[in-house]
């Protein structure tokens, strides 16, 4: 059984687990399945909107497939949340990704 399938099986038992949703999103993202990845990043953020890595990686996944405005919106939301939480490092990482975006 693949890592991806194991994570999906665990997620079926704990659908509101923020880390499992994030991990599944990352697996979908690695496999080039952006829509599935975005859906799971959104689920992770729905479980815990303070899970800052989900904003960064969702924005990055969207950017990789040319969905620039959605990526920008995601990153701006993540930057705002990171600042609200006082996490300057996370905010700076998202700002760096945002600054390198086209347009």
């Amino acid at each position: 059984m693949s890592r991806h399938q194991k994570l999906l099986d665990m997620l079926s038992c704990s659908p509101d687990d923020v880390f499992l949703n994030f991990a599944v999103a990352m697996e979908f993202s690695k496999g080039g399945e952006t829509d599935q990845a975005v859906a799971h990043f959104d689920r992770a953020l729905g479980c815990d909107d303070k899970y800052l890595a989900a904003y960064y990686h969702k924005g990055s996944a969207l950017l990789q497939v040319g969905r620039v405005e959605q990526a920008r919106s995601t990153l701006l939301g993540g930057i705002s949340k990171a600042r609200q939480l006082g996490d300057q490092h996370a905010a700076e990482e998202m700002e760096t990704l945002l600054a390198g975006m086209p347009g």
Side-chain angles (χ1 to χ4, degrees):
M1 180 182 298
S2 71
R3 171 182 162 81
H4 186 98
Q5 190 57 52
K6 287 178 189 176
L7 288 168
L8 286 171
D9 288 350
M10 288 189 295
L11 186 60
S12 70
C13 296
S14 302
D16 295 328
D17 185 297
V18 65
F19 176 75
L20 286 175
N21 275 291
F22 178 78
V24 167
M26 292 299 291
E27 289 295 315
F28 277 123
S29 185
K30 286 183 218 174
E33 297 179 66
T34 304
D35 289 337
Q36 289 284 4
V38 167
H40 284 280
F41 284 130
D42 286 342
R43 285 185 194 161
L45 290 168
C47 295
D48 182 358
D49 69 344
K50 297 176 205 81
Y51 202 83
L52 300 175
Y55 293 99
Y56 178 89
H57 288 285
K58 177 184 173 187
S60 179
L62 289 165
L63 187 57
Q64 288 176 4
V65 294
R67 293 162 61 179
V68 176
E69 289 309 312
Q70 287 177 296
R72 185 181 323 280
S73 176
T74 296
L75 292 169
L76 289 172
I79 291 165
S80 175
K81 180 58 75 173
R83 287 183 181 149
Q84 177 186 346
L85 296 170
D87 190 332
Q88 189 61 28
H89 178 73
E92 288 173 359
E93 284 186 330
M94 287 184 269
E95 287 168 347
T96 298
L97 185 57
L98 188 64
M101 289 174 53

